[in-house]
Amino acid sequence: MLRKKYRVGILGATGTVGQRFIQLLENHPQFEVTALAASDRSQGKAYAEACVWRLAGEMPTSVRSIKVAPPEPPLDCDLIFSSLPGEIARAVEEGFAHAGYPVLSNSSACRMDRDVPLVIPEVNHEHFALIETQRRARSFDRGMIVTNPNCSTIMLALALAPLHRRFGIEAVVVTTLQALSGAGYPGVPSLDVCDNVLPFIDKEEEKIETETLKILGRLRESSIEMANIKMSAQCHRVNVTDGHMAAVRVKFTRPASLEEVTEALASWRSLPQEMELPSAPERPIIVRNEPDRPQPRLDRDSSKGMSVTVGRIRPDGVLDVRFVALSHNTIRGAAGAAILNAEMLIALGYLA
Amino acid sequence: MLRKKYRVGILGATGTVGQRFIQLLENHPQFEVTALAASDRSQGKAYAEACVWRLAGEMPTSVRSIKVAPPEPPLDCDLIFSSLPGEIARAVEEGFAHAGYPVLSNSSACRMDRDVPLVIPEVNHEHFALIETQRRARSFDRGMIVTNPNCSTIMLALALAPLHRRFGIEAVVVTTLQALSGAGYPGVPSLDVCDNVLPFIDKEEEKIETETLKILGRLRESSIEMANIKMSAQCHRVNVTDGHMAAVRVKFTRPASLEEVTEALASWRSLPQEMELPSAPERPIIVRNEPDRPQPRLDRDSSKGMSVTVGRIRPDGVLDVRFVALSHNTIRGAAGAAILNAEMLIALGYLA
Amino acid sequence: MLRKKYRVGILGATGTVGQRFIQLLENHPQFEVTALAASDRSQGKAYAEACVWRLAGEMPTSVRSIKVAPPEPPLDCDLIFSSLPGEIARAVEEGFAHAGYPVLSNSSACRMDRDVPLVIPEVNHEHFALIETQRRARSFDRGMIVTNPNCSTIMLALALAPLHRRFGIEAVVVTTLQALSGAGYPGVPSLDVCDNVLPFIDKEEEKIETETLKILGRLRESSIEMANIKMSAQCHRVNVTDGHMAAVRVKFTRPASLEEVTEALASWRSLPQEMELPSAPERPIIVRNEPDRPQPRLDRDSSKGMSVTVGRIRPDGVLDVRFVALSHNTIRGAAGAAILNAEMLIALGYLA
Amino acid sequence: MLRKKYRVGILGATGTVGQRFIQLLENHPQFEVTALAASDRSQGKAYAEACVWRLAGEMPTSVRSIKVAPPEPPLDCDLIFSSLPGEIARAVEEGFAHAGYPVLSNSSACRMDRDVPLVIPEVNHEHFALIETQRRARSFDRGMIVTNPNCSTIMLALALAPLHRRFGIEAVVVTTLQALSGAGYPGVPSLDVCDNVLPFIDKEEEKIETETLKILGRLRESSIEMANIKMSAQCHRVNVTDGHMAAVRVKFTRPASLEEVTEALASWRSLPQEMELPSAPERPIIVRNEPDRPQPRLDRDSSKGMSVTVGRIRPDGVLDVRFVALSHNTIRGAAGAAILNAEMLIALGYLA
């Protein structure tokens, strides 16, 4: 018997991540896009008129005639994916949650709120338990706000999770080389990155250093105890369209050989894999042995952009082990992350 | 009274660094190029025929008609600048030194030899004292081999030197984003860096981790005691023509406030500055306060490519302090480094 | 009843186009790769060892263990796809044809030979009739050499064909902006295209100016009468991974309104479309109306890289009409072109 | 005796071209910058605070403390350089001219006005005679509006001028590959040009096709008779910081051998060269014979960015001759163009 699909509304539908949501949800077995909203001048127009489609391939025909609505309830849908800009996200998302919509947000606004789950399904799906706390605290009825981390943090936390579980992590030093699409469109001016690197991404280092601790933290009663890990992040923007890269060093609390580290990463499977969620990659982490991998152009699309590729696992002279990680920043790092969260919520019965 | 100029021969004259030597030596007050040698098919041709000039601006007319010689003595010159490829550099450079030529080498071949000075004049000119040891050990008469470090190492060691002196350095974690010209020509295939990053530069991490310790080491009797610093380097190639960038974290042995670190970097002057050597920048390190500097395209040419620009000095959650450094990899990082070494040797009387 | 697949050998299997052949032939309904050959040091190794896979995604498992052979008969296959470098292609391809193999070549060596078909199936499949002439002239028995045009020429000729048929073409002025993959690997040095454009691609302008005339020429008895069109080509290499672009002006012999030109391009279907060949795109030419299309990154993969996208159709002040064309240079412009030729040959009974 | 310098005000001072004006006017023998104006939020701040300096090297100290004024008279200066955006330029520039200021404008607003000189000093300085007409028509007293062409047009018209004079030009087909800085800052979004080309620059093709005819036109009594040349322009944006390139075909009215064309370009000197104006390059056009020149990164700075480099002069199969031209779009193509116009006006007595 075919279950009815969830009807989905997308906030920020004309932006870079909004377009990625639409692309990833085309032919999704559990969701169909029925509402599109944006905060800009596109309101009232059909999506095909309102949006300059900037992904390779055509705009899915199923959304072309949907009229772009203002980002406020009611919207003709069962749940909301939000990729609104940080400044307006909080008020809008709370408004939808109050109106009874589950909101899966890629925005940074509420991520660090004590009662908001910040989840990567493979890493900390048990944090969804905060939803009850949240509903009580905020007087939400059926609504909820569930967030996924910042694009760089997701990649990092996915690579750290199996290591933290097995060896305990004491300190992490991460240096990112981030893609242009992470800044949206128009985003980074071309003169800033042609023959150049920007050593600065606003608030990114702070996000990585704090969000990681929440994701790797433990649920204690009805709140998250932040992980006790020393964090250091330096972030750079490079002239790459898609695919964030991170050079990572890790210090463990227990001894870990290179072989054990490699094995812990490569063998890792988690609940989304066991439950075979539609967007879950077979392997959350793909370990490559070539000396010059991962590379953004070659590895960003592995497992349809949902796997993190790790390479260059080596002993480190200051911390214990170092490696290079890479993932697709608008798929696993944004739209795909929120969709996988939604699939996990369904599987765990939160969207019944 | 005008001192006669030193007559200079350049090995590897047709390569990227060889061309930079020629460009920087045009109108130099102490040197004039009188001999050019290369190991390739260009031998026997006039330089203007042998070499495809790949720097902006014209090939200096003074070298156009010099006939390219094979890289073996004798050459019509008083001293040698070498930018030969690593594989052949050792034998050739030793041959010239045996024949009585002082050789200032940018090649990696002999850098870590116990009796070979590896010098950045601002940092460790006293290591030139190894020349005597070297001459005895290798039976050189007037000849000598003096090396400058790898392009990334120079930038790093210059930024670390004033900090090490003042606060003591215990550990360094450095992540580089390196320019294309560091690999010479043809060097990096364009398909490897267009919309991409390479997380691998052959032997680069090892060079940074070892050369830095020698440069910051102490001369004890007639050898260098390596600095006792834990080192970690991860290296990346990005799509930038010139200008290596490094994200650096440092752990000190003594307490150091951000202000003290900033001041130690910005106020640093050393012997080349005091002696006003022709190629010495007024300030070895330029500290910038903008949140998004240094940048390769904007900062690589500061002080004609001889200064290191440092920015984003911040406290670090794992080590003590972090910052971003940048310098021109074929000027301060290669040809300019060897030339400044030569100027320092003259000033100290080693080339009398 | 399932027809047995043709067993295919690939010459130049480790190169850029060779890899594309392998990728496109994975799961092809008519072909399976059974032999791989290369002229380089990879001979004797399993393909997985011999080849550094440089396309996004993984090397197909079906070819990993095939041992790389020298490019000479016999090879364990029914037909040959060749992407050998021009210098050695002629002798090798003739050798295989003499040994009875049909050779579908992407190399430039034999393209302009009077008895060699130079074919784009949509444009001039009737030129395959030269095969008979060729076999007589060269004493081939079952063997043959069939070529596809240069990557830029295919795109141009596809866009011109429906216009030539309908309005007659008198003159063509084409200016190309070509992608890096067209030069193979290592190909174009990154220093030549980072923050730069190269206004020169060796022999490319000549190829476009001559090959186009042969493709648009008529089969008269047993030879091709070259089309009587004045040609002008200027070629540039730009910093784009895949996707050749061409700015085209056309002068017609008969009057043609913009609407007629647009309609002639957009409505064009040809024999491969009618016969629904596996690699034939539904539409050989896709016309886009947005003012800023086509673009390489957005349009190169349309119809799996087999369609040419045309935009900016405008009246021209010197010739009659101008437009911009774009296609994937290693799919429609190389490997895909040869495969479509093979499919057409099968459909027409030439490979029975 | 030292002549007092002209005191200069710059409109649009914080923009890309505004910054270039300031850079080029540093230490200029005839001008000193005394006023800066901008239409944005920078008004009232010192320039050092108001402007993020985006050119390599430091902001000149002489302008750091100048307070940014609104773009309206009075300004503390003798003449005005304007690089205002097209939309507001006309009203502002007319306002200044009415108030008695000579305005040298890089904006497109008034270029095609019948009574406004559109001048490249080497090509058509005699068009300055329109100033009298203009003053009468617009009731300007000491004020005037003098314009320089669009960045691509300047390069093209400079290359065509000596050919038109000598051989007569009947038709021109030009295809441009234009740099990012031509669109200002933030200008082109990086996602639009990374691994991509844009085949569209708003109004650029029209500007080239019309402005060229005015520049090469003749002054007849008190107006310009447009040159009778058929024009065709196609424009593309490529991932290059500075340096516009153009592939040009020309049809002549009189026979012209390649040697004559080459000689006409290479030998050309004009009035600015004879009068040795400070910004005039020794040769307006530099002809290079290498098959792969000109290139943006190597040739844009020739003669401090004021020469056009021409290469690949070849016979053409459709028109008569073709070549590739290149020049620095914000120096010869913008700020340097206006400055050279001002120098020419001084030399001819128009600013007395």
Side-chain angles (χ1 to χ4, degrees):
Chain A
M1 197 197 78
L2 197 65
R3 199 213 166 284
K4 224 173 114 272
K5 287 187 181 183
Y6 289 84
R7 298 158 53 78
V8 165
I10 297 172
L11 311 184
T14 55
T16 306
V17 174
Q19 296 188 19
R20 194 62 88 174
F21 270 120
I22 289 170
Q23 187 189 59
L24 295 177
L25 291 173
E26 196 187 4
N27 305 318
H28 191 285
Q30 300 180 308
F31 305 111
E32 69 177 319
V33 178
T34 55
L36 299 172
S39 54
D40 55 19
R41 292 156 305 173
S42 56
Q43 295 170 10
K45 299 185 198 160
Y47 189 68
E49 307 305 313
C51 174
V52 178
W53 188 255
R54 289 197 179 82
L55 297 178
E58 297 292 321
M59 178 188 292
T61 48
S62 57
V63 298
R64 295 183 63 86
S65 58
I66 296 179
K67 200 158 283 181
V68 178
E72 54 195 35
L75 279 184
D76 178 28
C77 60
D78 306 321
L79 67 90
I80 297 282
F81 289 114
S82 166
S83 61
L84 290 172
E87 318 86 58
I88 64 163
R90 173 177 292 275
V92 171
E93 294 176 0
E94 287 183 345
F96 275 100
H98 267 295
Y101 296 84
V103 177
L104 287 109
S105 173
N106 183 55
S107 296
S108 61
C110 305
R111 280 180 198 150
M112 295 304 294
D113 288 8
R114 295 178 60 89
D115 60 349
V116 170
L118 177 65
V119 171
I120 304 169
E122 284 92 342
V123 179
N124 65 330
H125 55 80
E126 67 278 10
H127 291 197
F128 284 143
L130 284 182
I131 292 168
E132 284 316 304
T133 323
Q134 181 190 111
R135 281 174 167 165
R136 278 194 308 274
R138 306 195 184 206
S139 309
F140 292 161
D141 178 18
R142 295 185 53 256
M144 65 174 81
I145 298 176
V146 165
T147 63
N148 58 267
N150 161 279
C151 45
S152 299
T153 308
I154 293 177
M155 166 173 62
L156 179 65
L158 268 166
L160 295 179
L163 302 179
H164 188 44
R165 201 152 307 172
R166 192 137 148 205
F167 312 109
I169 293 181
E170 221 174 277
V172 174
V173 173
V174 57
T175 310
T176 67
L177 296 85
Q178 299 186 218
L180 303 169
S181 59
Y185 186 91
V188 183
S190 53
L191 280 173
D192 278 347
V193 288
C194 180
D195 193 17
N196 208 21
V197 171
L198 286 181
F200 176 61
I201 302 175
D202 196 27
K203 300 202 192 76
E204 191 81 359
E205 299 179 352
E206 296 80 350
K207 288 177 188 171
I208 295 175
E209 292 179 354
T210 56
E211 294 180 10
T212 305
L213 301 184
K214 181 169 179 181
I215 300 160
L216 296 180
R218 283 200 215 157
L219 183 74
R220 297 269 180 173
E221 289 158 26
S222 55
S223 73
I224 306 296
E225 185 184 273
M226 304 285 272
N228 184 19
I229 300 174
K230 288 183 190 164
M231 296 290 303
S232 165
Q234 284 183 294
C235 296
H236 305 79
R237 185 80 68 191
V238 294
N239 203 11
V240 166
T241 56
D242 293 307
H244 283 1
M245 182 180 272
V248 183
R249 280 91 163 183
V250 185
K251 186 169 173 52
F252 299 115
T253 51
R254 295 184 287 282
S257 71
L258 282 195
E259 291 67 34
E260 289 170 322
V261 166
T262 304
E263 200 271 335
L265 292 167
S267 69
W268 190 40
R269 302 289 184 281
S270 186
L271 191 57
Q273 282 70 41
E274 286 168 31
M275 301 184 83
E276 296 185 350
L277 300 185
S279 302
E282 199 190 331
R283 292 176 289 163
I285 295 171
I286 293 172
V287 174
R288 296 197 70 109
N289 297 313
E290 300 93 327
D292 61 352
R293 298 291 277 269
Q295 295 177 23
R297 198 158 61 79
L298 300 184
D299 294 308
R300 60 193 171 202
D301 289 320
S302 59
S303 311
K304 298 185 180 169
M306 288 298 286
S307 285
V308 174
T309 302
V310 170
R312 296 195 58 72
I313 305 174
R314 300 282 190 279
D316 190 66
V318 175
L319 287 82
D320 290 333
V321 166
R322 67 191 185 215
F323 56 81
V324 177
L326 184 132
S327 85
H328 197 299
N329 54 298
T330 68
I331 302 179
R332 175 53 98 154
I339 293 171
L340 189 60
N341 273 352
E343 295 169 4
M344 189 86 249
L345 286 170
I346 292 171
L348 296 176
Y350 283 94
L351 296 187
Chain B
M1 197 196 82
L2 197 66
R3 200 215 167 285
K4 226 174 114 270
K5 289 187 178 181
Y6 289 85
R7 298 158 53 79
V8 164
I10 297 172
L11 310 185
T14 55
T16 305
V17 174
Q19 296 188 18
R20 194 60 89 173
F21 269 121
I22 288 169
Q23 187 190 57
L24 295 177
L25 291 172
E26 197 187 4
N27 304 318
H28 191 283
Q30 300 179 309
F31 305 111
E32 68 177 321
V33 177
T34 54
L36 298 171
S39 54
D40 56 19
R41 291 157 305 174
S42 56
Q43 294 171 9
K45 298 185 197 161
Y47 188 68
E49 307 305 313
C51 174
V52 178
W53 188 255
R54 287 196 181 83
L55 297 178
E58 297 291 319
M59 179 187 291
T61 48
S62 58
V63 299
R64 294 183 62 86
S65 57
I66 296 179
K67 201 159 282 180
V68 177
E72 53 193 35
L75 279 184
D76 179 28
C77 60
D78 304 322
L79 66 91
I80 298 282
F81 289 116
S82 167
S83 61
L84 290 172
E87 319 87 59
I88 65 163
R90 174 177 291 276
V92 171
E93 293 176 0
E94 288 182 344
F96 274 99
H98 267 297
Y101 296 84
V103 177
L104 287 111
S105 173
N106 183 56
S107 298
S108 63
C110 304
R111 280 180 197 149
M112 296 304 293
D113 289 8
R114 296 178 58 90
D115 60 348
V116 170
L118 177 66
V119 172
I120 304 170
E122 284 92 342
V123 179
N124 64 332
H125 55 79
E126 67 278 11
H127 291 196
F128 283 145
L130 283 183
I131 292 169
E132 283 315 305
T133 322
Q134 181 189 110
R135 282 175 166 163
R136 278 196 307 273
R138 306 196 185 205
S139 309
F140 293 161
D141 178 18
R142 296 186 54 257
M144 65 174 81
I145 298 176
V146 165
T147 62
N148 58 267
N150 161 279
C151 45
S152 300
T153 309
I154 293 177
M155 167 173 60
L156 179 66
L158 268 166
L160 296 179
L163 303 178
H164 188 44
R165 201 151 307 171
R166 194 139 147 203
F167 311 110
I169 294 181
E170 222 175 277
V172 174
V173 172
V174 57
T175 309
T176 67
L177 296 86
Q178 300 187 216
L180 304 169
S181 59
Y185 186 92
V188 183
S190 53
L191 280 173
D192 279 348
V193 290
C194 181
D195 192 17
N196 208 20
V197 171
L198 285 180
F200 175 61
I201 303 175
D202 196 27
K203 301 201 191 75
E204 192 80 359
E205 299 178 352
E206 295 81 350
K207 287 177 188 170
I208 294 175
E209 292 180 353
T210 56
E211 293 180 12
T212 305
L213 301 184
K214 181 170 179 180
I215 299 160
L216 296 180
R218 283 203 215 152
L219 184 73
R220 296 270 179 175
E221 289 159 23
S222 52
S223 73
I224 307 296
E225 186 184 272
M226 304 286 269
N228 183 19
I229 300 173
K230 287 182 189 167
M231 297 291 303
S232 164
Q234 284 183 294
C235 295
H236 306 77
R237 184 80 68 190
V238 294
N239 204 9
V240 166
T241 57
D242 292 307
H244 283 2
M245 183 180 272
V248 183
R249 281 91 163 183
V250 185
K251 186 169 173 49
F252 299 115
T253 51
R254 294 183 288 280
S257 72
L258 281 196
E259 291 66 35
E260 289 170 323
V261 166
T262 304
E263 201 270 336
L265 292 168
S267 69
W268 189 39
R269 303 289 183 283
S270 185
L271 192 56
Q273 282 71 41
E274 286 168 32
M275 301 184 85
E276 298 185 347
L277 300 185
S279 302
E282 201 189 327
R283 293 177 288 164
I285 295 170
I286 293 172
V287 174
R288 297 197 72 109
N289 297 313
E290 300 92 327
D292 62 352
R293 299 291 278 268
Q295 295 177 21
R297 196 157 62 79
L298 299 184
D299 294 307
R300 61 192 171 204
D301 289 320
S302 61
S303 312
K304 298 184 180 167
M306 289 299 285
S307 285
V308 173
T309 301
V310 170
R312 296 194 58 73
I313 305 174
R314 300 281 189 281
D316 190 67
V318 175
L319 287 84
D320 290 331
V321 167
R322 66 191 186 216
F323 56 82
V324 177
L326 184 133
S327 84
H328 197 300
N329 54 298
T330 66
I331 301 179
R332 175 53 99 156
I339 293 170
L340 190 59
N341 273 352
E343 294 170 3
M344 190 87 245
L345 286 170
I346 292 171
L348 296 175
Y350 282 96
L351 296 188
Chain C
M1 195 196 81
L2 197 68
R3 200 215 167 284
K4 225 175 111 271
K5 288 187 180 182
Y6 288 84
R7 298 158 52 79
V8 164
I10 297 172
L11 310 185
T14 55
T16 306
V17 174
Q19 296 187 18
R20 195 60 90 175
F21 270 120
I22 288 170
Q23 187 190 58
L24 295 177
L25 292 173
E26 197 187 3
N27 305 319
H28 192 284
Q30 299 179 310
F31 305 112
E32 69 177 319
V33 177
T34 54
L36 299 170
S39 55
D40 55 20
R41 291 157 304 172
S42 56
Q43 294 171 9
K45 297 185 199 162
Y47 189 68
E49 308 304 313
C51 174
V52 178
W53 188 255
R54 287 198 182 80
L55 298 178
E58 297 291 320
M59 178 188 292
T61 48
S62 57
V63 300
R64 295 183 63 84
S65 58
I66 297 180
K67 201 158 283 183
V68 178
E72 54 194 36
L75 279 184
D76 178 29
C77 61
D78 304 323
L79 66 90
I80 297 283
F81 288 116
S82 167
S83 61
L84 290 172
E87 319 86 57
I88 65 163
R90 174 177 292 276
V92 171
E93 293 175 0
E94 288 182 344
F96 274 98
H98 267 295
Y101 295 85
V103 177
L104 287 109
S105 174
N106 184 54
S107 297
S108 62
C110 305
R111 281 179 196 150
M112 296 304 294
D113 289 9
R114 295 178 60 91
D115 60 350
V116 169
L118 177 65
V119 171
I120 304 170
E122 284 93 343
V123 180
N124 64 331
H125 56 79
E126 67 277 11
H127 291 196
F128 282 145
L130 284 184
I131 291 169
E132 284 316 304
T133 323
Q134 182 190 111
R135 281 175 166 163
R136 280 195 307 275
R138 306 196 184 204
S139 311
F140 293 160
D141 178 17
R142 297 184 52 258
M144 66 174 81
I145 298 175
V146 165
T147 63
N148 59 267
N150 163 280
C151 45
S152 299
T153 309
I154 293 176
M155 166 173 62
L156 179 66
L158 269 166
L160 296 178
L163 304 178
H164 188 44
R165 202 152 305 173
R166 191 136 148 207
F167 313 109
I169 294 181
E170 220 174 278
V172 174
V173 172
V174 57
T175 309
T176 67
L177 295 85
Q178 300 187 218
L180 303 170
S181 59
Y185 187 92
V188 183
S190 53
L191 280 173
D192 279 348
V193 289
C194 180
D195 192 17
N196 209 21
V197 171
L198 285 180
F200 175 61
I201 301 176
D202 195 27
K203 300 202 192 77
E204 191 81 0
E205 298 178 352
E206 296 81 350
K207 287 178 188 170
I208 295 175
E209 292 180 353
T210 57
E211 293 179 11
T212 305
L213 301 184
K214 181 170 180 180
I215 300 161
L216 297 180
R218 283 202 215 153
L219 184 72
R220 296 269 180 175
E221 289 158 24
S222 54
S223 73
I224 307 296
E225 185 183 273
M226 303 285 270
N228 183 19
I229 299 173
K230 287 183 190 167
M231 296 291 301
S232 163
Q234 284 183 294
C235 296
H236 306 78
R237 184 80 68 189
V238 294
N239 203 11
V240 166
T241 56
D242 291 308
H244 283 1
M245 182 181 271
V248 183
R249 280 91 163 182
V250 185
K251 187 170 172 50
F252 299 116
T253 51
R254 296 183 288 280
S257 71
L258 281 196
E259 292 66 35
E260 290 170 322
V261 165
T262 303
E263 200 271 335
L265 292 167
S267 68
W268 190 40
R269 302 289 183 280
S270 186
L271 192 57
Q273 281 71 42
E274 287 169 30
M275 302 184 84
E276 297 185 348
L277 300 185
S279 302
E282 201 189 330
R283 293 176 289 164
I285 294 171
I286 294 172
V287 174
R288 297 197 71 108
N289 297 315
E290 300 93 327
D292 62 351
R293 299 289 279 267
Q295 295 177 22
R297 197 157 61 78
L298 300 184
D299 294 308
R300 61 192 170 203
D301 289 320
S302 60
S303 311
K304 297 185 181 168
M306 289 297 287
S307 285
V308 174
T309 302
V310 170
R312 296 194 60 72
I313 305 175
R314 300 281 189 282
D316 190 67
V318 175
L319 288 82
D320 290 332
V321 166
R322 67 191 185 216
F323 57 82
V324 176
L326 184 132
S327 84
H328 198 299
N329 54 297
T330 68
I331 301 179
R332 174 54 99 155
I339 293 171
L340 190 60
N341 272 352
E343 295 169 4
M344 190 87 247
L345 286 170
I346 292 171
L348 296 175
Y350 282 96
L351 296 189
Chain D
M1 197 197 78
L2 197 66
R3 202 213 164 284
K4 227 172 113 272
K5 288 186 178 182
Y6 288 85
R7 297 156 54 78
V8 165
I10 297 172
L11 310 184
T14 55
T16 305
V17 174
Q19 296 188 18
R20 194 61 90 175
F21 270 121
I22 288 170
Q23 187 189 59
L24 296 177
L25 291 172
E26 197 188 2
N27 304 318
H28 191 284
Q30 299 179 310
F31 306 110
E32 68 178 319
V33 177
T34 55
L36 299 171
S39 54
D40 56 20
R41 294 157 302 174
S42 56
Q43 294 170 11
K45 298 184 198 161
Y47 188 67
E49 307 305 312
C51 173
V52 178
W53 189 254
R54 289 198 179 80
L55 298 177
E58 297 292 320
M59 179 187 291
T61 48
S62 57
V63 298
R64 296 183 63 87
S65 57
I66 297 179
K67 201 159 283 181
V68 178
E72 53 194 37
L75 279 184
D76 178 29
C77 61
D78 306 321
L79 67 91
I80 298 282
F81 289 115
S82 167
S83 60
L84 290 172
E87 319 86 60
I88 65 163
R90 173 177 294 275
V92 171
E93 294 176 359
E94 288 182 345
F96 274 99
H98 267 295
Y101 296 85
V103 177
L104 287 108
S105 174
N106 183 55
S107 297
S108 62
C110 305
R111 280 180 198 150
M112 296 303 294
D113 288 9
R114 295 178 59 88
D115 60 349
V116 170
L118 177 65
V119 171
I120 304 169
E122 284 92 341
V123 179
N124 64 331
H125 56 80
E126 66 278 10
H127 291 197
F128 283 144
L130 284 182
I131 291 168
E132 283 316 304
T133 323
Q134 180 189 111
R135 281 174 168 166
R136 278 194 308 273
R138 306 196 184 204
S139 309
F140 293 160
D141 178 20
R142 295 183 55 256
M144 65 173 83
I145 297 175
V146 166
T147 63
N148 58 267
N150 162 278
C151 45
S152 300
T153 309
I154 293 176
M155 168 173 62
L156 179 65
L158 268 167
L160 295 179
L163 303 178
H164 189 44
R165 201 151 307 170
R166 193 139 148 204
F167 312 110
I169 294 181
E170 221 175 277
V172 175
V173 173
V174 56
T175 310
T176 67
L177 296 86
Q178 300 187 218
L180 304 170
S181 59
Y185 186 92
V188 183
S190 53
L191 280 173
D192 279 348
V193 289
C194 181
D195 192 18
N196 208 20
V197 171
L198 287 179
F200 175 61
I201 302 175
D202 196 28
K203 300 201 192 77
E204 191 81 0
E205 300 178 352
E206 296 81 350
K207 287 177 188 171
I208 295 175
E209 292 179 353
T210 56
E211 293 180 10
T212 304
L213 303 183
K214 180 170 180 181
I215 300 161
L216 296 179
R218 284 202 215 155
L219 184 72
R220 297 269 180 175
E221 289 158 24
S222 54
S223 73
I224 306 295
E225 186 185 272
M226 303 286 270
N228 184 19
I229 300 174
K230 289 182 189 165
M231 296 290 303
S232 164
Q234 283 182 296
C235 296
H236 306 77
R237 185 79 68 190
V238 294
N239 203 9
V240 165
T241 56
D242 292 308
H244 283 1
M245 182 181 272
V248 183
R249 281 90 162 182
V250 185
K251 185 168 173 52
F252 299 115
T253 50
R254 295 183 287 281
S257 71
L258 281 196
E259 291 66 34
E260 289 170 321
V261 166
T262 304
E263 201 271 335
L265 292 167
S267 70
W268 190 39
R269 302 290 182 282
S270 185
L271 191 57
Q273 281 70 41
E274 286 168 31
M275 301 183 83
E276 297 184 350
L277 300 185
S279 301
E282 201 189 328
R283 293 176 289 164
I285 294 170
I286 293 172
V287 175
R288 298 197 69 109
N289 297 314
E290 299 92 327
D292 61 352
R293 298 291 278 268
Q295 295 177 23
R297 198 158 61 80
L298 299 184
D299 294 308
R300 61 194 171 202
D301 289 320
S302 61
S303 311
K304 298 184 180 170
M306 289 298 286
S307 285
V308 174
T309 302
V310 170
R312 298 196 56 74
I313 306 174
R314 300 281 190 280
D316 190 66
V318 175
L319 287 82
D320 290 333
V321 166
R322 67 190 185 216
F323 56 82
V324 177
L326 184 132
S327 84
H328 198 299
N329 54 299
T330 68
I331 301 179
R332 175 53 100 157
I339 293 171
L340 189 60
N341 272 353
E343 294 170 2
M344 189 87 246
L345 286 170
I346 292 171
L348 296 175
Y350 282 95
L351 296 188

